[in-house]
Amino acid sequence: MNFDRLPPVISCGDPGSFAQSTLKTRLPEILSRVKVENAYPTAVMDRLDQLALSMRSGRLQVIVDSGAPDERFLDEIYGPYYGRRWDELSFLICEGYFYRSILSAVRYYQPGPGLFHDPFGVQKTLGLTASGQILANLARRVESWTNGTVDRRQCLEEAFMSALWGNRADLSLWPVADGQTSPDEHLAQPD
């Protein structure tokens, strides 16, 4: 692979970029939902508050998560970025560090009440409930792509749009509680 031809890194400091919006708006909203939707003890809430403060004005701290399955890789992955400001990070590193820091803060891998408690469980459940009929409609639409009732170009366009629409499922672009709909919502409507 020729790495000389890769596009430039998208930085969280790029004015007006999705990466900057992610750092300044989307990730803080996700963090707020984690705090509101979970009954964490004060110590966990304090760690989540520290993460929020770090995102606004601080620098990346070493992730300490003793015994976690990825413990030996954390310094390898994020070590080169420790001490840097959040807005100096690439979009990919920013998001990865953010989500991994939440798991550390809530003690997801540590023995006790937080062990394997999904901090995003409420949103996942709401998303699945809200999307049940939409997913059934989308499944029927996919069937029309394979039985030849839709031309190939339309199948390809709809497949790409459905993949993008699927970002809703990972909650990164669409919090269930905000009531927004996707511009390609028609793909999941009954024929």
Side-chain angles (χ1 to χ4, degrees):
M1 175 175 239
N2 182 357
F3 291 107
D4 295 332
R5 298 186 57 194
L6 292 176
V9 171
I10 299 171
S11 168
C12 291
D14 292 343
S17 68
F18 178 74
Q20 185 183 56
S21 174
T22 291
L23 174 60
K24 301 293 182 191
T25 305
R26 195 170 60 82
L27 296 183
E29 288 173 3
I30 291 169
L31 186 55
S32 291
R33 286 196 318 265
V34 166
K35 290 174 57 182
V36 168
E37 295 170 351
N38 294 279
Y40 288 124
T42 303
V44 170
M45 292 297 205
D46 289 346
R47 287 190 295 272
L48 293 171
D49 287 341
Q50 289 170 357
L51 177 59
L53 180 61
S54 165
M55 292 171 67
R56 286 191 303 274
S57 60
R59 297 178 179 274
L60 270 64
Q61 304 295 313
V62 174
I63 297 175
V64 178
D65 205 352
S66 181
D70 61 351
E71 177 184 18
R72 67 186 188 113
F73 300 108
L74 291 174
D75 284 342
E76 182 180 328
I77 296 167
Y78 301 114
Y81 306 98
Y82 291 151
R84 292 178 70 183
R85 290 189 334 259
W86 285 76
D87 64 357
E88 296 175 327
L89 302 176
S90 72
F91 176 73
L92 179 64
I93 293 298
C94 178
E95 279 219 333
Y97 180 85
F98 170 77
Y99 286 111
R100 187 56 184 86
S101 292
I102 288 178
L103 292 182
S104 178
V106 303
R107 303 185 55 77
Y108 182 82
Y109 292 115
Q110 301 304 315
L115 182 66
F116 302 134
H117 171 77
D118 184 353
F120 310 103
V122 170
Q123 279 294 309
K124 289 177 182 177
T125 300
L126 289 171
L128 185 59
T129 301
S131 298
Q133 186 58 51
I134 292 170
L135 293 174
N137 294 341
L138 185 57
R140 283 190 290 282
R141 189 72 186 159
V142 169
E143 185 178 353
S144 74
W145 301 342
T146 59
N147 68 15
T149 59
V150 178
D151 75 81
R152 287 183 173 180
R153 179 186 166 120
Q154 185 178 352
C155 288
L156 184 60
E157 287 175 9
E158 289 182 359
F160 278 120
M161 293 304 291
S162 294
L164 293 172
W165 179 81
N167 279 332
R168 295 176 73 168
D170 76 3
L171 308 177
S172 65
L173 299 177
W174 175 67
V176 176
D178 75 1
Q180 294 179 354
T181 59
S182 173
D184 47 353
E185 186 91 17
H186 69 281
L187 294 174
Q189 298 302 317
D191 289 332

